């Protein structure tokens, strides 16, 4: 199986003291919920019986909170340039490459793909917002931009009722350990 490496970006809006993440429908997450709630559908692999789900689940069960991210599929662009394109497309902020800080790289999807993901950190301000974001509908993207206030971020990270990727949890924790201690004390509210 050939896969693409990817980039993801932890975005922190310093004007609003919040993280900017995306929320989008993931078919694989939806199908896992269908299988969990209707295991009988997967016992008989007959296409006819599968298409007759009498009580379909709402699409919202396939929606996850994620970091802004994208695949590395443009060989003429650096990882940083791809990350900046994704920030603009998905979240609507124009970020110069020099504003990115590499956090780390790691293997993602190790049970299936083993691709490499590079995680960046970017600070944005309200003045850097040039569009509403939302991804590229012509590519099948339907992305909602969501702001998570800094003071609620760790509660959000560990709230199991809000489906999210491990990248969100890891990056919020990284921020608390590496960036939050350097913020002016007036910006940090106790959880």
């Amino acid at each position: 199986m050939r896969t693409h490496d990817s980039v993801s970006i932890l975005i922190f809006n310093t004007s609003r003291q919040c993280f900017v993440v995306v929320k989008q429908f993931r078919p694989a997450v939806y199908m896992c919920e269908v299988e969990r709630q209707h295991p009988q559908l997967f016992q008989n692999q007959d296409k006819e019986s599968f298409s007759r789900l009498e009580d379909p689940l709402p699409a919202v069960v396939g929606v996850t909170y994620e970091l802004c991210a994208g695949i590395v599929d443009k060989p003429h662009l650096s990882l940083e340039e791809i990350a900046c394109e994704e920030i603009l497309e998905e979240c609507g902020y124009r970020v110069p490459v020099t504003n990115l800080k590499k956090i780390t790289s790691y293997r993602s999807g190790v049970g299936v793909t083993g691709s490499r993901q590079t995680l960046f950190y970017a600070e944005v301000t309200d003045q850097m917002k040039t569009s509403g974001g939302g991804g590229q509908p012509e590519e099948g993207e339907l992305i909602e931009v969501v702001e998570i206030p800094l003071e609620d971020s760790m509660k959000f990270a560990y709230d199991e009722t809000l489906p999210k990727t491990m990248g969100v949890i890891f990056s919020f924790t990284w921020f608390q350990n590496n960036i939050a201690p350097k913020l002016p004390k007036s910006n940090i509210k106790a959880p």
Side-chain angles (χ1 to χ4, degrees):
M1 175 187 312
R2 185 171 190 283
T3 62
H4 288 282
D5 289 343
S6 60
V7 295
S8 61
I9 309 97
L10 172 62
I11 303 169
F12 183 66
N13 183 317
T14 58
S15 302
R16 297 175 183 273
Q17 294 294 296
C18 66
F19 294 103
V20 180
V21 299
V22 299
K23 191 168 137 179
Q24 60 185 324
F25 177 78
R26 294 296 189 178
V29 173
Y30 181 83
M31 290 307 295
C32 283
E33 278 302 306
V34 169
E35 183 175 16
R36 190 177 68 76
Q37 294 186 32
H38 300 284
Q40 72 283 0
L41 289 176
F42 294 86
Q43 292 167 355
N44 180 1
Q45 295 293 327
D46 178 352
K47 287 183 185 177
E48 194 174 306
S49 65
F50 187 75
S51 65
R52 284 193 245 140
L53 180 57
E54 292 178 21
D55 187 20
L57 298 178
V60 71
V61 302
V63 172
T64 60
Y65 293 89
E66 307 171 16
L67 296 177
C68 173
I71 61 172
V72 176
D73 61 351
K74 298 171 185 160
H76 61 285
L77 296 180
S78 68
L79 294 177
E80 292 80 4
E81 290 168 323
I82 293 171
C84 289
E85 278 189 358
E86 293 298 331
I87 294 169
L88 183 59
E89 287 175 13
E90 292 188 2
C91 299
Y93 292 92
R94 186 168 304 281
V95 176
V97 169
T98 54
N99 283 29
L100 289 179
K101 173 185 171 127
K102 180 180 173 185
I103 297 175
T104 191
S105 289
Y106 49 87
R107 295 288 176 185
S108 63
V110 294
V112 179
T113 65
S115 59
R116 179 176 296 279
Q117 185 163 73
T118 302
L119 175 60
F120 292 98
Y121 172 67
E123 289 184 355
V124 299
T125 64
D126 287 347
Q127 291 72 32
M128 297 165 78
K129 186 94 168 163
T130 60
S131 75
Q136 295 184 337
E138 65 275 8
E139 292 182 7
E141 293 180 322
L142 181 58
I143 295 171
E144 179 183 344
V145 180
V146 178
E147 295 181 344
I148 309 295
L150 174 58
E151 65 265 18
D152 299 335
S153 62
M154 294 313 293
K155 180 180 176 188
F156 175 87
Y158 291 103
D159 184 341
E160 293 182 13
T161 66
L162 300 170
K164 69 197 70 64
T165 63
M166 189 61 205
V168 171
I169 299 168
F170 171 79
S171 63
F172 283 12
T173 303
W174 174 88
F175 183 94
Q176 291 296 330
N177 291 328
N178 294 278
I179 304 297
K182 300 172 190 168
L183 293 175
K185 296 297 180 209
S186 62
N187 290 349
I188 304 173
K189 297 177 183 160

